[in-house]
């Protein structure tokens, strides 16, 4: 037992220094008005946080993402992993299409996303050709923006989950 504790001690010390102590200090600082020489204010910081509209919006977005995207990503990744294990004539093309976003740098994906969702972008041009009008996709508080953000995040997570599920199959 003593030998096991001796071997575990470097990891446990590192865990305490880099995780437990900063977490405890952050928790204690949350009850003060500032971190250096702060005075105790009790739950005032938490009351201010709960009264903040930006915190409520962030919490709502987190619950929306968790409630919609996570189950959808898991279900779709299992479906596509099963599909890719079948003998399909487009199997190689699908495998390439799913791995490509993992290889392309994030900056390139953002540039493509901006080209597609810009006011004069390809998606708005397509919508206008159907006489549906343009949508300001880049406006931060609109539903189409949230939907496009969720779809981009979901696509990247779907591809990652698909890769993990294929590795298990």
């Amino acid at each position: 037992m003593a030998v096991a504790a001796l071997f575990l001690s470097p990891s446990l010390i590192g865990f305490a220094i880099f995780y437990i102590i900063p977490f405890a200090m952050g928790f204690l600082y949350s009850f003060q008005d500032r971190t250096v020489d702060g005075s105790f204010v009790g739950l005032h910081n938490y009351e201010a946080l709960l009264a903040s509209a930006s915190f409520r919006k962030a919490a709502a977005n987190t619950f929306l993402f968790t409630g919609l995207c996570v189950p959808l990503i898991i279900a779709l990744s299992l479906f596509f992993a099963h599909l890719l294990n079948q003998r399909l004539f487009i199997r190689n093309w699908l495998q390439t299409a799913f791995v490509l976003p993992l290889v392309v740098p994030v900056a390139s994906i953002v540039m493509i996303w901006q080209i597609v969702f810009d006011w004069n972008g390809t998606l708005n041009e397509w919508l206008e050709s159907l006489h549906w009008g343009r949508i300001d996709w880049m406006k931060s508080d609109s539903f189409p923006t949230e939907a496009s953000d969720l779809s981009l995040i979901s696509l990247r997570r779907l591809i990652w989950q698909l890769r993990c599920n294929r590795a298990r199959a």
Side-chain angles (χ1 to χ4, degrees):
M1 187 72 167
V3 175
L6 183 65
F7 279 114
L8 282 174
S9 62
S11 295
L12 293 176
I13 291 170
F15 184 73
I17 290 173
F18 293 109
Y19 288 99
I20 295 175
I21 294 172
F23 179 79
M25 290 178 68
F27 182 72
L28 292 175
Y29 288 154
S30 72
F31 295 105
Q32 297 178 355
D33 58 354
R34 59 185 176 273
T35 55
V36 178
D37 296 330
S39 60
F40 182 77
V41 293
L43 296 175
H44 175 70
N45 291 336
Y46 290 102
E47 292 170 356
L49 181 69
L50 292 175
S52 168
S54 60
F55 172 76
R56 287 194 305 271
K57 177 73 172 170
N61 288 343
T62 301
F63 288 122
L64 176 72
F65 177 76
T66 303
L68 291 177
C69 292
V70 171
L72 183 66
I73 288 168
I74 291 171
L76 285 175
S77 66
L78 287 173
F79 170 74
F80 284 125
H82 177 72
L83 186 69
L84 289 175
N85 282 328
Q86 306 300 315
R87 296 282 180 205
L88 296 173
F89 67 95
I90 59 169
R91 180 179 173 184
N92 291 337
W93 183 87
L94 286 174
Q95 288 174 341
T96 304
F98 284 125
V99 173
L100 192 62
L102 294 173
V103 189
V104 176
V106 175
S108 301
I109 293 174
V110 168
M111 293 298 292
I112 293 169
W113 209 251
Q114 286 178 344
I115 290 169
V116 170
F117 287 102
D118 188 48
W119 180 257
N120 295 318
T122 53
L123 188 58
N124 272 333
E125 293 291 330
W126 181 72
L127 288 174
E128 197 163 82
S129 71
L130 295 173
H131 305 292
W132 288 353
R134 295 177 182 265
I135 297 175
D136 191 5
W137 297 97
M138 297 298 181
K139 186 177 176 186
S140 62
D141 60 344
S142 66
F143 173 74
T145 300
E146 292 173 359
S148 66
D149 291 345
L150 286 176
S151 64
L152 178 63
I153 293 167
S154 299
L155 177 64
R156 291 195 56 84
R157 291 302 306 162
L158 170 69
I159 291 167
W160 177 253
Q161 285 292 332
L162 178 65
R163 186 174 175 195
C164 293
N165 289 333
R166 289 244 327 135
R168 288 187 210 130

